[in-house]
Amino acid sequence: MCGIVGYVGPGPAAAIIMSGLKRLEYRGYDSAGVAVVTSDDAGSRIALAKRAGKIGNLAGALDAEPMPVDGVGVGHTRWATHGVPNDLNAHPHLSFDGRVAVVHNGIIENHAALRAELGAAGIATVSDTDTEVVAHLLAQELEAGRRLPDAMRAVCNRLDGAFTLVAVDRDDPATVVGARRNSPLVVGIGDGESYLASDVAAFIDHTREAIELGQDQVVEIRAGEVRVTGFDGRPAQTRPYHVDWDTSAAQKDGYDWFMRKEIYEQPKAVADTLLGRYDTDGSLRLDELRISESELRRVNKIIIVACGTAFYSGLVAKYAIEHWTRIACEVELAHEFRYRDPIVDANTLVVCISQSGETADSLMAIRHASEQGARVLAICNTNGSTIPRESDAVIYTHAGPEIGVASTKGFTTQLVACYLLGLYLAQVRGTLFGDEIARLMDELEQMPQTIQGVLDDAEPVLKLAADFAEQPSVLFLGRHVGYPVALEGALKLKELAYIHAEGFAAGELKHGPIALIDQGLPVFVVVPPLGRDMLHDKVVSNIAEIRARGALTVVLAEEDDEAVGPLADVWIRLPKVSTLLQPLAATVPLQLFACELATRKGHDVDQPRNLAKSVTVE
Ligand code: F6R
């Protein structure tokens, strides 16, 4: 949440920062701003521009009144926490003396006390943000004779909460200083220029060489020079890395939305996540898994923690992991986990699923799990992010950057990583025979083609979205692994189309939700594959029950499942796959449906209202 860019180098700072912000707009789009420190014969000054609304508004303002070309600078695109999204609350914030400009991602929890302290010293704040106090505190430190990096360390030691801060000092026009605690910040190393950003996407046009910053670190960048220290002032260890995707991955490639592009990228993303995991000798290899086989054999409980769509992938994983490994597996919303005093010990494996690797709720959950002695494994899509760094082990999903705010290829590749984990545990613990694992791996390796088939046959789903554009409410039902698919289908519709959508376990319907069924209400039903006859037949009965009460049934069922024919007002035909893997195929039409329906309603699909990707506040 909130995107930050800092730049030092010979290039046009404001233009470079604006293009970086554009790439980070998925992190927040309530307002945006840029500050550039520039010098001429008259001395140094900070040029500042900020506007409520999307970056386009700021770009318009800069076209009308351009910024100075030379200098160093910072920029910000905001997801509002404290203070409504208006020009005044937009970042950067200036200090009382105009010497410091600062941008912030996170929440300064003790801002009220600091504001009162500044007030007592005669410094009044002008905005409603928690951020502005930082600008004034930094200026006080500079006034006392400190340099900006020392001032930043001193101020950070006084702040509570989560924050990435990036600041410039009018009187030091060659330096940008950043700091991070519980919120992301990466460094980009260019040729004679340096970048700070919430995400590598901001500087991928200029360099693919990056440095991961650790917790509680301050970074100073000058042209071609980077210095990192802890909040205590000691030099800190950092990890340089090469970004394994390039600028082409961050383009829409002719699609109307990043989301639609990412839906269509799923065959490749799934194939990339599977790549190199299965040896020709028939054994699974998870190279990044830094937990020994003997430790994995000792695991007697798995707890999956995640939020939103990632949580739903965890719900699917539970069915597969328990079935294949016979290890008890709980799935918990990360923000609930640590507040209920969970029973966790050294034999518990906590699996954290996070596309961004920065979700604050998930990060806090794994910290709690580690403190209790559990081993933590991350399933993550973002190299260099905090969650894998703070975990004992990681399985990276190789989906490439996910820019659409609604997760799509993130979800399917999380499913693949969960299946790989389940099968690997089964291999290590001997709960599945080699030929059983081989059969499942064969099917997983077929999945890119299977998903491609679903995408190629998408026309009926797109037409359905057009027909349903005026529907005020849609329900989704599923059973077993179809239940999380139903939840995911409903979430996608809520967040993109802003209509009432709910997912239910089909068996739960008669315990209350069936009262919602009314004449013409669209209900999507995910039908388990044929072959799990009891499960399948129960869901078919559920369809009959809702149809008898007037529901308009949209049935996702295998292409030859003739039992559903008479009960389906609309039949979305799914390819034949085994039960546990069905979510990989069944979710795709629901993603397309939500994307198309939101498009028909005229919504901004990549930037739905009130949302942002990478939720870095609790
Ligand atoms: C929904 C969506 C969110 C995320 C959730 C977790 O489409 O994208 O629900 O899944 O915020 O994000 P990560 O996976 O980055 O931890």
Side-chain angles (χ1 to χ4, degrees):
M1 275 168 174
C2 298
I4 288 179
V5 186
Y7 174 74
V8 176
I16 288 171
I17 290 167
M18 283 298 284
S19 78
L21 289 180
K22 198 73 205 137
R23 291 240 192 267
L24 297 186
E25 199 171 17
Y26 70 88
R27 302 179 68 90
Y29 28 86
D30 292 337
S31 63
V34 183
V36 170
V37 184
T38 182
S39 316
D40 55 25
D41 293 345
S44 297
R45 66 186 177 90
I46 294 181
L48 175 72
K50 45 191 199 170
R51 287 290 181 279
K54 296 194 175 176
I55 288 170
N57 293 356
L58 177 64
L62 291 181
D63 284 346
E65 204 173 322
M67 284 245 160
V69 174
D70 296 326
V72 305
V74 294
H76 188 267
T77 179
R78 180 171 186 238
W79 186 84
T81 59
H82 291 64
V84 297
N86 59 21
D87 289 357
L88 191 65
N89 290 330
H91 301 210
H93 289 280
L94 286 182
S95 57
F96 59 90
D97 55 1
R99 184 170 166 185
V100 173
V102 69
V103 294
H104 167 220
N105 170 25
I107 294 178
I108 311 286
E109 284 167 4
N110 57 337
H111 70 98
L114 294 168
R115 189 184 297 258
E117 189 187 298
L118 287 163
I123 299 169
T125 51
V126 292
S127 74
D128 305 317
T129 66
D130 51 335
T131 307
E132 190 193 335
V133 296
V134 176
H136 302 315
L137 292 172
L138 286 171
Q140 280 183 323
E141 296 290 340
L142 295 178
E143 215 174 30
R146 293 200 160 95
R147 289 178 52 252
L148 187 59
D150 304 317
M152 185 65 94
R153 278 186 286 272
V155 171
C156 286
N157 280 316
R158 301 189 57 199
L159 303 179
D160 295 335
F163 48 85
T164 295
L165 296 162
V166 177
V168 286
D169 170 8
R170 183 194 58 206
D171 296 352
D172 181 0
T175 309
V176 174
V177 175
R180 75 168 289 261
R181 167 180 287 168
N182 294 337
S183 193
L185 185 64
V186 286
V187 186
I189 309 294
D191 187 8
E193 54 189 4
S194 310
Y195 303 80
L196 294 178
S198 308
D199 177 341
V200 294
F203 50 73
I204 197 76
D205 286 340
H206 307 280
T207 178
R208 290 165 71 183
E209 304 312 315
I211 297 178
E212 219 176 88
L213 290 180
Q215 181 70 343
D216 287 5
Q217 291 185 346
V218 166
V219 54
E220 307 160 41
I221 58 168
R222 294 182 191 82
E225 190 192 331
V226 176
R227 183 163 180 260
V228 183
T229 51
F231 283 1
D232 57 7
R234 293 203 199 123
Q237 290 286 341
T238 54
R239 189 181 77 89
Y241 66 102
H242 179 75
V243 182
D244 60 6
W245 52 273
D246 65 18
T247 187
S248 63
Q251 317 281 355
K252 280 196 218 154
D253 284 348
Y255 286 92
D256 50 352
W257 307 112
F258 277 110
M259 181 188 178
R260 203 185 298 271
K261 176 187 172 219
E262 288 159 7
I263 292 172
Y264 280 88
E265 279 173 351
Q266 290 179 109
K268 177 169 185 322
V270 164
D272 287 349
T273 302
L274 286 165
L275 205 67
R277 311 288 194 177
Y278 194 52
D279 269 355
T280 41
D281 69 356
S283 59
L284 266 163
R285 271 197 1 223
L286 296 182
D287 284 341
E288 316 109 312
L289 202 80
R290 301 179 297 256
I291 302 180
S292 69
E293 294 197 359
S294 59
E295 281 176 289
L296 290 176
R297 278 189 212 102
R298 280 201 302 274
V299 168
N300 60 15
K301 180 162 77 169
I302 295 175
I303 304 180
I304 299 177
V305 291
C307 302
T309 289
F311 172 71
Y312 299 150
S313 75
L315 288 180
V316 174
K318 173 186 166 73
Y319 290 91
I321 290 176
E322 288 193 339
H323 187 68
W324 292 336
T325 69
R326 313 309 298 153
I327 309 172
C329 179
E330 296 170 17
V331 192
E332 182 137 9
L333 288 165
H335 35 89
E336 290 295 316
F337 173 71
R338 73 179 169 136
Y339 297 106
R340 70 166 173 98
D341 197 11
I343 301 168
V344 170
D345 62 25
N347 293 328
T348 310
L349 178 67
V350 169
V351 178
C352 177
I353 308 176
S354 174
Q355 188 284 130
S356 63
E358 297 293 351
T359 299
D361 292 316
S362 304
L363 179 61
M364 295 307 153
I366 63 162
R367 284 193 184 150
H368 183 74
S370 294
E371 279 159 23
Q372 309 300 306
R375 304 291 276 164
V376 175
L377 184 152
I379 290 178
C380 183
N381 192 39
T382 314
N383 197 335
S385 60
T386 309
I387 289 172
R389 203 173 47 240
E390 295 201 14
S391 300
D392 299 303
V394 57
I395 301 176
Y396 280 112
T397 53
H398 295 287
E402 192 179 63
I403 295 168
V405 164
S407 187
T408 52
K409 62 177 180 172
F411 177 73
T412 38
T413 54
Q414 283 161 357
L415 290 178
V416 171
C418 289
Y419 293 134
L420 288 171
L421 174 64
L423 292 174
Y424 183 73
L425 287 170
Q427 172 180 289
V428 168
R429 296 163 69 102
T431 49
L432 285 181
F433 293 118
D435 60 339
E436 293 172 306
I437 295 176
R439 194 178 44 72
L440 285 156
M441 281 307 298
D442 272 357
E443 197 180 346
L444 274 175
E445 278 165 356
Q446 285 304 311
M447 269 302 161
Q449 290 96 297
T450 309
I451 295 173
Q452 189 59 54
V454 176
L455 292 167
D456 292 344
D457 294 342
E459 208 41 53
V461 180
L462 301 179
K463 166 152 188 338
L464 194 65
D467 294 347
F468 281 8
E470 299 310 317
Q471 286 288 349
S473 181
V474 180
L475 301 188
F476 293 80
L477 301 182
R479 214 170 174 123
H480 192 260
V481 289
Y483 169 42
V485 173
L487 294 172
E488 174 62 0
L491 176 61
K492 284 287 156 291
L493 212 51
K494 277 184 253 205
E495 65 182 333
L496 298 173
Y498 318 149
I499 62 175
H500 170 243
E502 277 196 74
F504 295 109
E508 186 63 9
L509 208 62
K510 56 190 175 298
H511 300 287
I514 199 162
L516 290 170
I517 306 291
D518 205 354
Q519 202 58 39
L521 177 77
V523 184
F524 284 68
V525 188
V526 184
V527 180
L530 292 161
R532 291 293 293 272
D533 293 342
M534 245 175 49
L535 195 63
H536 171 269
D537 294 355
K538 293 255 180 301
V539 176
V540 173
S541 303
N542 295 141
I543 306 174
E545 288 155 16
I546 55 169
R547 201 152 190 271
R549 289 164 177 81
L552 195 161
T553 56
V554 182
V555 177
L556 289 89
E558 281 186 339
E559 49 217 356
D560 61 350
D561 189 348
E562 295 307 330
V564 304
L567 299 171
D569 292 306
V570 180
W571 182 355
I572 297 174
R573 290 169 197 265
L574 295 178
K576 290 191 85 61
V577 288
S578 61
T579 304
L580 283 166
L581 304 191
Q582 196 203 30
L584 278 172
T587 309
V588 175
L590 302 184
Q591 297 169 339
L592 277 170
F593 177 73
C595 179
E596 184 64 16
L597 189 74
T599 307
R600 298 271 170 176
K601 289 176 88 77
H603 296 172
D604 186 334
V605 169
D606 285 335
Q607 296 176 353
R609 72 180 178 207
N610 302 336
L611 289 172
K613 208 161 179 75
S614 191
V615 184
T616 51
V617 294
E618 278 187 88

